[in-house]
Amino acid sequence: MRRAERLYALVDLLRGSRRPMSAARLAQEFEVSKRTIERDVQSLQLAGVPIYADHGATGGYSILREHSLPPLNLTEPESLAVLAGLGLLETSPYGAAARRARAKILAISREDRLAPVGEALATMFVIDSPSPSEAAISLIPEAVAARRVVRIDYTSEDGKTLTTRDVEAMGLLRGGDSWMFVGWCRLREGIRGFHLDRIRRLEITGEVFAERDPAVLATDLSRWRTRRLG
């Protein structure tokens, strides 16, 4: 039995069982090692499948009965495109989410299609700009969604000047080989883009700013060839 088939069968078996099933019993059922079952369960959990471990002499794995694992039948080119795209997001503000999504896709993809995709990905290389600070990665998407004013310490391109700015968080922009945080800079009184790797400190304030005319941002972005990702 292929791994992808075993994962589907494992979900169905747990869903139909009235009692928790131990790793040893599942290993016997599928004629694999106990360690293989533990790895399968971990992969399913990463994919968001609600499998729970009950400890004790009568414990084992159980699952919400109403849950079923939807198929993910991507072709090889589609799998390659999705996984390569997620890899490009590693140093973006959504890097952590991209890594989780990649694990979920790998967990429920057809195993016979993963080997050639993995070989193709191994031939792809990316020259990244310096990684942005952890604060920039974790807080900027939240600030944009909540329409919050953020306070940043931002360094000049030569690294010699540091300014503190209050910025109305409006969006994210991929420019060249780096990500930028876009917003209304109150210090400069205009739309500005801030390279994430030059943000030394970022704090989300409690202020929710009044929404500006979308044309203000659109006019500024019209200087470049940009496209929305949704």
Side-chain angles (χ1 to χ4, degrees):
M1 180 183 292
R2 293 174 177 174
R3 182 170 184 266
E5 296 172 343
R6 189 174 65 247
L7 291 177
Y8 283 105
L10 179 58
V11 170
D12 285 338
L13 183 60
L14 290 176
R15 188 152 47 93
S17 176
R18 294 185 178 182
R19 297 180 180 179
M21 299 186 70
S22 68
R25 182 180 173 188
L26 291 169
Q28 183 179 13
E29 181 74 26
F30 291 103
E31 299 181 347
V32 296
S33 69
K34 180 180 174 182
R35 179 59 185 149
T36 295
I37 290 296
E38 291 170 347
R39 284 197 297 265
D40 286 349
V41 169
Q42 184 178 33
S43 294
L44 288 166
Q45 289 173 329
L46 286 171
V49 180
I51 296 179
Y52 304 97
D54 299 317
H55 301 288
T58 60
Y61 296 113
S62 57
I63 190 174
L64 294 178
R65 289 193 179 183
E66 63 271 20
H67 184 85
S68 61
L69 187 63
L72 187 63
N73 295 317
L74 296 178
T75 64
E76 287 180 21
E78 290 169 344
S79 297
L80 181 59
V82 170
L83 294 174
L86 291 171
L88 290 174
L89 291 175
E90 281 285 330
T91 56
S92 79
Y94 297 98
R99 288 189 290 274
R100 292 194 300 271
R102 183 178 186 276
K104 291 180 180 181
I105 290 172
L106 290 174
I108 59 175
S109 293
R110 285 179 49 175
E111 189 172 6
D112 60 330
R113 290 179 178 166
L114 290 180
V117 168
E119 292 174 1
L121 288 174
T123 66
M124 298 181 182
F125 304 90
V126 178
I127 299 175
D128 277 324
S129 58
S131 298
S133 67
E134 190 63 30
I137 292 176
S138 61
L139 297 181
I140 287 179
E142 177 184 338
V144 172
R147 216 169 67 241
R148 292 294 186 92
V149 173
V150 299
R151 183 163 295 132
I152 62 174
D153 290 341
Y154 191 68
T155 185
S156 59
E157 188 173 2
D158 60 11
K160 295 180 179 180
T161 306
L162 186 71
T163 57
T164 298
R165 317 203 185 187
D166 284 354
V167 182
E168 299 172 9
M170 300 175 74
L172 289 158
L173 172 69
R174 175 73 179 187
D177 63 350
S178 64
W179 283 88
M180 288 183 280
F181 163 45
V182 179
W184 181 272
C185 177
R186 292 180 174 177
L187 179 65
R188 305 303 185 202
E189 296 186 344
I191 298 291
R192 291 291 186 274
F194 303 93
H195 290 268
L196 299 190
D197 56 290
R198 287 161 54 188
I199 297 176
R200 295 294 174 261
R201 185 184 67 88
L202 184 146
E203 171 194 356
I204 298 181
T205 72
E207 181 183 354
V208 178
F209 62 87
E211 188 172 6
R212 292 185 179 272
D213 185 347
V216 175
L217 179 58
T219 299
D220 187 85
L221 293 178
S222 66
R223 295 179 292 167
W224 300 280
R225 291 178 59 187
T226 60
R227 60 185 174 86
R228 292 183 182 273
L229 296 182

